[in-house]
Amino acid sequence: MVSALALGALAGGATAAGAAQPAGTHTARHTDRAPQHPIPFTAAKVTRDSDGRYTISWAATGLRGVTVYAGSTQGHIDTRHAVARGTSTDSVTVTGLGAADRMWFRLVPSRGEGLTLADRSLHLASAPNFRDAGGYRTADGSWVRMGVAYRSGDLSKLTAKDLAELRRLGIATVYDLRTDDEVAAGPDQVPAGAKDIRENVLGTAGTGAFNPTTPDAAFDMMVSSEVGMVDLPSATSSFHAVLTGVADRPGAVVYHCTAGKDRTGWASGALLTALGVPRRTVMSDYLASNDYNAASNAATPAALPPAQAAVYKPLLGVDPAYLNSGFDEVDERYGTFGAYLQRGLGLDSRTLKQLKDRMLVG
């Protein structure tokens, strides 16, 4: 038997597109860029290895070269001393940068505007699916700013060290998308001074019991639950609050559920789509939860009888069919995603402009 609480925990909310990205990486790819766009990069990513090495890779055309600078905060990058140089399309490894909550890199091209990136993952052992929602390229060649919006799973196990780091990163608002029962079982731990806002996406739909008895039934349940992200009044109200908060609340924002893959996944999908990120990139961000949650997703079935483990497997991960069912519901009910944002989520043109002004660079 899978309770609503278990469903909430398993249907957490979150990411990915195309090929899933390994945990600890941040990547973006889009080849159809507008000519002469201010930011010439068509792809870029930063990866922090377990031994403290950073790999920075990028792709662009028509550049003489790219210079890389580093800093311990986004606002204090040392542009006097380069840490690496490369060609227009290249990959470099940087070591010896010292300790920092999060290391930032500024990619400066020989022409056009530079791009500032960090590893998407915050590498929190207590919250493995805690990651930056930004760092993706839009269809028109802009980039989603990093360090403004974060997505995560359960925050009830954050350590004092984790909380101190999140405070230093400027986390000021946390949107908790879980049900009342989930919150009671594991209340949020939030950084000092941050506001914790409850937004129950599932509403009363999260109070019943769900009893899939076969893997196919569990899969179908997950597909149906994604449709609810579009249709449930509690969901539209919650996602309105999240996107409005990202647009106008001071400081950085975190939105999360339990696993950080379904409710959080649709929140990220709506945010990135509103910003003009291509669907395949949105899907890649969605599917990445399978990698970030890989350890727990493997441990849960291992502790169950094989037949029960097979039923649980579709509940633990994410699948393209899940997210696509939400997008299909948007198309059927609203015709376009823009209409969903305006009529479904109630975001007016001023809020959407605020969102883009805050979240996009280039």
Side-chain angles (χ1 to χ4, degrees), residues 117-153:
L117 299 172
D119 184 348
R120 173 163 289 109
S121 176
L122 295 190
H123 298 276
L124 303 179
S126 59
N129 206 8
F130 196 123
R131 49 193 163 111
D132 204 303
Y136 293 117
R137 192 173 187 269
T138 67
D140 66 1
S142 297
W143 284 77
V144 181
R145 190 189 308 272
M146 301 189 80
V148 178
Y150 297 89
R151 50 173 300 166
S152 183

Side-chain angles (χ1 to χ4, degrees), residues 17-349:
Q21 302 300 323
T25 66
H26 138 61
T27 184
R29 289 190 176 275
H30 185 68
T31 56
D32 300 323
R33 67 181 179 89
Q36 304 301 316
H37 192 275
I39 297 178
F41 298 104
T42 57
K45 78 176 178 185
V46 173
T47 304
R48 192 192 89 184
D49 297 333
S50 58
D51 60 2
R53 294 183 303 167
Y54 291 85
T55 300
I56 307 101
S57 60
W58 62 85
T61 57
L63 300 180
R64 293 191 307 274
V66 175
T67 306
V68 182
Y69 302 94
S72 58
T73 69
Q74 190 172 13
H76 294 86
I77 292 177
D78 182 2
T79 55
R80 298 169 302 170
H81 305 99
V83 297
R85 290 183 173 84
T87 61
S88 60
T89 297
D90 215 335
S91 179
V92 298
T93 298
V94 178
T95 61
L97 294 180
D101 289 335
R102 197 178 190 198
M103 190 62 66
W104 292 84
F105 296 89
R106 178 77 174 169
L107 280 60
V108 179
S110 57
R111 64 163 177 82
E113 295 182 10
L115 179 64
T116 302
L117 299 172
D119 184 348
R120 173 163 289 109
S121 176
L122 295 190
H123 298 276
L124 303 179
S126 59
N129 206 8
F130 196 123
R131 49 193 163 111
D132 204 303
Y136 293 117
R137 192 173 187 269
T138 67
D140 66 1
S142 297
W143 284 77
V144 181
R145 190 189 308 272
M146 301 189 80
V148 178
Y150 297 89
R151 50 173 300 166
S152 183
D154 176 31
L155 300 182
S156 68
K157 299 178 181 64
L158 293 179
T159 65
K161 180 181 177 182
D162 294 336
L163 292 169
E165 177 178 337
L166 297 184
R167 185 174 184 273
R168 290 191 294 270
L169 291 176
I171 305 288
T173 306
V174 175
Y175 286 97
D176 187 344
L177 308 181
R178 300 175 300 164
T179 65
D180 293 344
D181 286 345
E182 290 173 282
V183 173
D188 273 350
Q189 300 293 314
V190 301
K195 187 169 186 178
D196 195 22
I197 300 175
R198 295 277 309 283
E199 290 290 345
N200 181 357
V201 169
L202 297 180
T204 57
T207 60
F210 301 85
N211 304 291
T213 57
T214 67
D216 286 346
F219 185 92
D220 291 343
M221 187 182 76
M222 295 302 292
V223 169
S224 297
S225 71
E226 199 72 20
V227 173
M229 303 296 169
V230 178
D231 293 346
L232 287 172
S234 55
T236 56
S237 174
S238 296
F239 296 132
H240 168 91
V242 171
L243 268 65
T244 300
V246 173
D248 63 16
R249 292 194 70 87
V253 171
V254 180
Y255 48 91
H256 81 95
C257 51
T258 294
K261 66 184 185 69
D262 300 308
R263 288 164 288 186
T264 301
W266 185 256
S268 277
L271 172 63
L272 295 176
T273 303
L275 295 172
V277 174
R279 179 72 59 82
R280 64 180 174 272
T281 305
V282 173
M283 180 62 76
S284 179
D285 178 66
Y286 177 77
L287 293 176
S289 283
N290 287 334
D291 296 305
Y292 288 95
N293 289 336
S296 60
N297 287 354
T300 299
L304 299 173
Q308 190 176 0
V311 173
Y312 262 69
K313 187 175 180 180
L315 307 177
L316 294 169
V318 287
D319 186 277
Y322 303 167
L323 185 63
N324 283 335
S325 68
F327 281 119
D328 289 346
E329 184 68 7
V330 166
D331 291 342
E332 184 174 337
R333 290 198 62 177
Y334 297 97
T336 66
F337 206 87
Y340 163 68
L341 292 171
Q342 294 176 5
R343 299 203 314 270
L345 299 189
L347 302 176
D348 58 26
S349 58

